[in-house]
Amino acid sequence: MTSELRTRSIVGVALIAVALGALLSGGLIFWTLLVIAGVLMQGEWGDLTGATPERRKSAMFAVSIPLALLCPYAAGIDWPVLIAGAAAFFFVLFTSRSVKLALGIPYICLPIVALLYLRGQEPNIFGLLLAFWALGLVWATDIGAYFAGRSIGGPKLAPRISPSKTWAGLAGGVLAALVLGFLLHRFADLPIQLAAASGLLAVAAQAGDLLESHMKRRAGVKDSGTLLPGHGGVMDRLDGVATAAPLAAILYWLLVAGA
């Protein structure tokens, strides 16, 4: 094992351990981890959109307001957060005159709201299952896509955006997500509707990956940041979550909560 791979593996295991620990704890600890990740992602988003350091910091401050209101001891998921999120979006838009920079606000806030919504479902163990489903499917998709892409190869999925991604990798990611979904149904009582819809989350996760790859290609950089040795930035680890988590919350609300 090379030193780079060793570093990547150690950091990867540590990240998963932190994520699972916060997920199990829920409440304030889970919210705190999501807020830290969100503010850092907003900074990386600013770098990828070419914002000046001043506007980048201003956007990080703006996104922290709706995220702060999501605290379990503040407004939580309620109208004040929506109003603050809209205000943050227009504040960044008008002060920076950059739609691209302002779009970082919903990109950051929506998945955090979605994960907190899923984790907050009662009973507590059910909320834990739902949030793990949303996050675990992204991890399963990445693993399935990696091994299927390397072992099968074939036509490229989006060669101009991410030359390494293949249709076989996408299929492998969808299959891995479905397997995890039905395993969670079989052994943890995940609703069958969500297990069957797991493949959609895999597609959403891959779309999020491609979106960030497009932004990095436009910015001329390999990674969104350098905070995580061997992994790049926070966005590099959570690009799939950013698009899959909102869809997971919508599917739960439509197929289970509203049924």
Side-chain angles (χ1 to χ4, degrees):
M1 181 183 293
T2 64
S3 60
E4 181 179 355
L5 181 58
R6 185 181 298 108
T7 299
R8 182 179 178 85
S9 299
I10 293 173
V11 173
V13 170
L15 290 174
I16 291 174
V18 170
L20 290 178
L23 186 59
L24 286 167
S25 298
L28 187 63
I29 294 177
F30 190 48
W31 167 81
T32 300
L33 180 64
L34 291 178
V35 169
I36 292 172
V39 173
L40 291 173
M41 287 174 68
Q42 181 65 63
E44 293 174 0
W45 178 280
D47 286 337
L48 293 180
T49 58
T52 63
E54 292 76 15
R55 289 175 177 173
R56 171 179 170 273
K57 292 177 183 178
S58 179
M60 293 173 71
F61 171 77
V63 80
S64 70
I65 304 303
L67 295 184
L69 289 175
L70 284 169
C71 176
Y73 300 113
I77 302 176
D78 209 337
W79 285 106
V81 174
L82 177 62
I83 296 171
F89 173 83
F90 286 110
F91 171 79
V92 174
L93 178 63
F94 292 146
T95 56
S96 68
R97 298 178 183 178
S98 171
V99 175
K100 291 181 180 179
L101 181 60
L103 285 175
I105 302 295
Y107 177 83
I108 304 305
C109 291
L110 287 177
I112 292 179
V113 169
L115 288 172
L116 290 173
Y117 168 70
L118 293 173
R119 184 64 182 85
Q121 296 305 303
E122 295 293 344
N124 182 65
I125 190 66
F126 184 58
L128 174 61
L129 172 63
L130 291 173
F132 178 78
W133 169 67
L135 291 171
L137 285 180
V138 177
W139 303 335
T141 299
D142 287 343
I143 294 171
Y146 175 80
F147 285 105
R150 286 182 65 89
S151 60
I152 301 173
K156 302 297 183 181
L157 178 61
R160 293 186 178 182
I161 299 176
S162 183
S164 63
K165 285 184 169 43
T166 64
W167 284 99
L170 175 61
V174 170
L175 178 60
L178 285 169
V179 168
L180 178 60
F182 280 103
L183 285 174
L184 290 176
H185 168 67
R186 174 66 177 81
F187 297 104
D189 294 326
L190 180 75
I192 186 65
Q193 307 97 306
L194 300 184
S198 296
L200 293 176
L201 294 190
V203 174
Q206 288 290 284
D209 195 321
L210 289 174
L211 170 62
E212 198 214 1
S213 294
H214 172 68
M215 294 182 67
K216 290 190 292 186
R217 185 169 289 273
R218 291 287 298 270
V221 297
K222 179 177 180 292
D223 298 314
S224 65
T226 58
L227 180 64
L228 307 174
H231 291 264
V234 180
M235 276 183 67
D236 291 316
R237 294 302 85 207
L238 299 179
D239 50 7
V241 174
T243 47
L247 178 58
I250 292 171
L251 288 174
Y252 167 72
W253 183 71
L254 290 176
L255 300 178
V256 179

